[in-house]
Amino acid sequence: MGNIKEALKGMSAEERKRLLEDIKQEERQAAKERRDAYEGLRANFMMDVKNKLVPVVEEVKGFREWIEAETDAFREVMRDYGQLRKDEQLSFTLVDGDLKVEVRSNNVKTFDERADMAAERLVEYLKAWVSRSEKGQDDPMYQLAMTLLERNKQGDLDYKSISKLYEMEDRFDDEYKSIMELFRESNVVIKTAINYYFYMKNKNGVWIRVEPSFCRL
């Protein structure tokens, strides 16, 4: 340390300036190298994730398509064999050894084309509303409403989410209520959803749900 101080004392102001610049340059270079190393590690990690994720997604998607086609075909076998209570029956349960498969159908509420009109009107209404709001798009009411208008992967509006929009009617004006009424009028279509459930017996003979879902593993 003493030698450094002595060396600095012997330097001119210009030499000290150059030394300081050299030190700063070295620090910048070291910081760049650390950043490059981090970004390289991040890129490698994300590539590894992608390379493993995409095949899993495709595998699960393929399984879904396969189970739909196979259960439809086996339902016809059951119908021919007299295992269905009525021809239009969609739900059934199969058990073989330690595996059980349940196919369950249920009617779900959905919307017709008027809901698309209502959604467009609501988006325009909300944009006009936030333009007059002090918080703008940061207004929690705006963010909530826009979130409830999000569609699922099939491009459909969610019945439960739209129902929550109804609960906000007293916070807005007659135009909002008119849009909600259009949503209600469009809620006249019932479609059938079919879900698949799988169970395997554990060593104690108890049926345990097996779910091909990352979040359930």
Side-chain angles (χ1 to χ4, degrees), residues 104-163:
R104 291 285 171 263
S105 66
N106 62 292
N107 293 329
V108 294
K109 293 183 178 180
T110 184
F111 301 92
D112 64 18
E113 71 285 350
R114 286 172 288 184
D116 295 330
M117 298 166 54
E120 291 178 6
R121 283 179 57 187
L122 182 56
V123 169
E124 293 303 316
Y125 174 87
L126 290 171
K127 287 180 178 179
W129 184 76
V130 297
S131 69
R132 301 188 298 271
S133 171
E134 294 181 358
K135 298 179 181 179
Q137 294 189 4
D138 292 329
D139 193 299
M141 290 296 294
Y142 171 81
Q143 294 180 355
L144 174 60
M146 293 299 288
T147 299
L148 295 175
L149 281 173
E150 291 180 356
R151 298 172 183 265
N152 61 24
K153 61 182 180 181
Q154 286 80 32
D156 298 326
L157 293 164
D158 181 72
Y159 172 75
K160 292 182 179 179
S161 295
I162 299 302
S163 295

Side-chain angles (χ1 to χ4, degrees), residues 14 44 53 68 80 90 101 138 145 152 168 179 199 216:
E14 185 63 28
N44 289 336
L53 173 65
E68 287 176 347
D80 293 340
L90 296 177
V101 177
D138 292 329
N152 61 24
M168 299 161 61
I179 296 170
Y199 303 83
R216 299 291 185 179

Side-chain angles (χ1 to χ4, degrees), residues 13-216:
E14 185 63 28
E15 289 173 330
R16 290 178 182 176
K17 181 179 179 181
R18 285 199 302 269
L19 176 62
L20 181 59
E21 290 176 349
D22 290 343
I23 292 173
K24 289 182 177 179
Q25 178 60 32
E26 290 178 0
E27 291 176 346
R28 285 194 294 268
Q29 182 62 31
K32 180 180 183 303
E33 290 174 355
R34 287 196 301 272
R35 183 175 67 250
D36 291 344
Y38 166 77
E39 290 177 352
L41 290 170
R42 182 183 65 188
N44 289 336
F45 170 68
M46 295 301 285
M47 181 60 68
D48 289 342
V49 171
K50 182 179 180 180
N51 289 339
K52 292 184 179 297
L53 173 65
V54 173
V56 170
V57 172
E58 292 301 317
E59 184 73 18
V60 174
K61 180 181 177 182
F63 175 70
R64 172 77 189 200
E65 294 172 350
W66 178 86
I67 197 70
E68 287 176 347
E70 291 297 312
T71 51
D72 285 346
F74 195 78
R75 188 183 290 109
E76 294 302 316
V77 174
M78 295 177 69
R79 181 176 291 109
D80 293 340
Y81 194 66
Q83 290 296 299
L84 300 181
R85 294 187 301 274
K86 48 189 178 181
D87 285 345
E88 64 272 21
Q89 178 181 333
L90 296 177
S91 300
F92 59 86
T93 300
L94 299 173
V95 179
D96 187 65
D98 62 352
L99 177 65
K100 177 167 66 173
V101 177
E102 289 185 356
V103 181
R104 291 285 171 263
S105 66
N106 62 292
N107 293 329
V108 294
K109 293 183 178 180
T110 184
F111 301 92
D112 64 18
E113 71 285 350
R114 286 172 288 184
D116 295 330
M117 298 166 54
E120 291 178 6
R121 283 179 57 187
L122 182 56
V123 169
E124 293 303 316
Y125 174 87
L126 290 171
K127 287 180 178 179
W129 184 76
V130 297
S131 69
R132 301 188 298 271
S133 171
E134 294 181 358
K135 298 179 181 179
Q137 294 189 4
D138 292 329
D139 193 299
M141 290 296 294
Y142 171 81
Q143 294 180 355
L144 174 60
M146 293 299 288
T147 299
L148 295 175
L149 281 173
E150 291 180 356
R151 298 172 183 265
N152 61 24
K153 61 182 180 181
Q154 286 80 32
D156 298 326
L157 293 164
D158 181 72
Y159 172 75
K160 292 182 179 179
S161 295
I162 299 302
S163 295
K164 292 179 181 178
L165 287 172
Y166 301 154
E167 300 171 5
M168 299 161 61
E169 284 182 290
D170 60 345
R171 298 174 180 265
F172 297 99
D173 56 22
D174 290 341
E175 172 61 14
Y176 183 92
K177 293 178 181 178
S178 173
I179 296 170
M180 293 304 103
E181 186 58 32
L182 186 56
F183 271 124
R184 290 189 177 95
E185 290 175 2
S186 72
N187 183 218
V188 296
V189 178
I190 300 295
K191 69 178 182 180
T192 300
I194 298 180
N195 295 302
Y196 305 85
Y197 304 98
F198 310 93
Y199 303 83
M200 294 191 72
K201 280 185 179 179
N202 63 13
K203 60 183 180 180
N204 297 317
V206 178
W207 290 111
I208 303 299
R209 175 84 70 86
V210 179
E211 299 189 63
S213 165
F214 183 84
C215 297
R216 299 291 185 179

